[in-house]
Each structure stands twice: as structure tokens, then as C-alpha cells.
Amino acid sequence: MSGLLSRHLVLIALALASGHDHTFEVRLHEESGALQLLQQKLAFGEPTLLEAAEPIYWLHCAKCGSSFINALIHLPGVCPLASSLVVDEQSLGDCYMEKWKFECPEACLAKKFFCPHFSDAFPHQPIDNYTARKGALVGMFRNPEQRILSAYHDDADNFATVNYEDHLQDLLAMHVSGSLNMSVCHQPVPGLSKVPVLEFAESWKGGMTYQLVVEHNNLHPTTQTLDPDRPKMTRADAEEAARRVREGFSFVGITEDWDLSICLLHKMFGGACQASDFEDTRPSSETKSAHADYDIDELMGWHDDVDRVVYDAAVEVFQGNLIAYGVSHDSCRECYSHAERGRVQTA
Ligand SMILES: *[C@@H]1O[C@H](CO)[C@@H](O)[C@H](O)[C@H]1NC(C)=O
Ligand SMILES: *[C@@H]1O[C@H](CO)[C@@H](O)[C@H](O)[C@H]1NC(C)=O
């Protein structure tokens, strides 16, 4: 297939160079529809889906899957100097997401991947300028109640701890004068006392919406996605956030459907599936994989009816794309086996 393709690319190049389309057209009629389309696109310079989405901007929704970073930076040509790097604790050690921020501009091409700025001390930044990012956004979205329970039980990040604001202050202190002060990078502290689960749920409610709609956040450094006192989101905010998911994202994945999401990403943007695409870099606890569900009875009937609107939109886009790109566990077998993913997860 690739030999055939490159032979035809030479033909196309020759035809274009000579100014005559004759040879090119004759050869095209011999090929299958899909290859024809690809050749036409290449001949007429139409960008691929990946090129059209660049520079890729990852909306890193909190608890939707940090390991998605590895699938993105290994997309073809995006981060040439990160091809053998896996962004995880094993490779980069403690505070690896903070360290990656400093590696990113070296490893990735600015015209292909948007690297968060060093001075953005806080993780899970909002989009900030939707107009500028529209069409280049990619992200995973998670069932709102699962997302919140996952955060509540995440003892590696202490999200639910009493006085979480102090942890945000530590993050600020870690980012000093354009570098990282690693003496402020703390190991997770087990057994800290937590706020009650419903109080936590209320403070995290609408968090995906917040990241999608808040603009010019840098002007308000105390207002941050993970700040328990950040502004509350309304149903109107959620409707706008859902519109952005439908219209502004070049790729939408679903945390619950991780394997299909990764397979879809590669079907759309190219590149082979890799084991690191499937690695759960931040499981909430040793015994809990990212794929098992939390028991929502813990929330006693409480629902995040703001982020539900966003999640429903994301699922709709995702399912539409599964159909449009012919992605199913069956059609993803090659992807899974290339990534040595023997066991297929179902959500
Ligand atoms: C947002 O991005 C647009 C398009 O790139 C730009 O014209 C505008 O100035 C930006 N707004 C802010 C507040 O930076
Ligand atoms: C790094 O953090 C430690 C602990 O808070 C502090 O004592 C030290 O002064 C900081 N270093 C710099 C360069 O800011």
C-alpha cells in the first residue's frame, strides 16, 4: 500500500511539475475511491484533518485523563523531539506535568502544538480565548458525577482536602522567575482530612463548563478551575460550553470510552496506536483503574446538571464521529494489537 502510494505521489508530482494533468488523471481512475480522494487532497494541497487542527490546543479537563498528553504529542510530526518520551512519573519523576511544561516548547513545534506557558502555574487552565482556539481544540470529557467522585478519591492530588487553597499556593510558589522550584514539589500526603463529599461536589460542579467558557483568566489569578471558591457556572454557561464542544473541537474523546477514543484519534489524525496512549498515568488510587466506575450512591442523588449538558454534547459528537470514521472495537483490533492492548475495555 505505501509503496503504491509513494509511486503515485511521484506521478502526481511529475504531472503537476509538467503542468499536464493527463497522466495523473488516467492513473487515478485505476485506484479505489479512498486512495483517489487522498491523492486528490494531496495534489490540491487540501490540509489533512491534523493539519487543519494545528496548532492543537489540549483542553485538559481535570480528572478526564492526563495520559491523553502522550497520544497528542506522539501524533505525526507534532513534537519531533518527544517521539520516545512518555510524559509520566516514571520518565519525569515528581510533578511531571509541571516539568513537561518546560520541555514542551523544546520538544514540540509551535505551529503544531500549543504549549502552556511556564507562568501558568495552575493546571487545568480554561481555554481563555475561544475565538483564537476555535477549530484547534481537542479534549476528553468525562461523566460529571464520575469525574467528581474520581477527584474526591484522588489522594495523589489531595483535591478534596480541607484548605485546598494552600495547595494552589504551593503551585504558585513552585513557579518562580521562569523556572520550577522543585523543593515545593510535594509528595502526596495520605490521610489528610477531607471536606464532606457533597460540599466537594458543589465546589467542582460545572468544572468542565468553567474550563470551556472562562476568558481572560490571567487577569484574575485567584480565580482558577480548581479553586473551591471559583465562580459558579449556570445553565446558560453550560449551553455555551456545549456549543463550543460541538463547533470548536477538532477531536472529542470520552474518558469512559478511552480505547475507542484513542483509536478514533488515530483514525482521524493518523499515526499508530502506542502503548503509552493507553497508560493510566494518574490512577486515583492503587486499587482503582481509570476504567472502573465509582458508586454514585455516594452522592445521594446529587447531580451535576451543569456539566451534564456539556457531557451530553461531547458524547453526541463522539458517537457521531465513531460512525463517520467507522470506528468500533472490531475495526480497532489493529490499533489495540499494535499498542499491545490485549484486553479490550468496554465502558
Ligand atoms: C483572542 O484571539 C483573537 C484572534 O486571535 C484576537 O484577535 C484577540 O485579540 C484575542 N483576545 C484577547 C483578549 O487576547
Ligand atoms: C524554593 O522553595 C523553598 C521552600 O519554600 C524556599 O525556601 C526557597 O527560597 C525557594 N527558592 C527560590 C529560588 O525561590
Side-chain angles (χ1 to χ4, degrees), residues 173 176 181 183-184:
V176 281
N181 182 351
S183 58
V184 192

Side-chain angles (χ1 to χ4, degrees), residues 57-58 97-105 113-128 133 171-172 174-180 218:
Y57 183 102
W58 177 35
M97 285 305 272
E98 281 75 23
K99 285 178 186 159
W100 163 249
K101 257 191 306 204
F102 287 80
E103 302 293 328
C104 186
F113 191 78
F114 178 91
C115 291
H117 198 267
F118 312 135
S119 63
D120 291 338
F122 300 122
H124 312 296
Q125 291 283 332
I127 289 171
D128 195 31
R133 310 275 172 249
L171 280 173
L172 270 184
M174 199 192 305
H175 292 71
V176 281
S177 45
S179 66
L180 278 183
N218 295 341

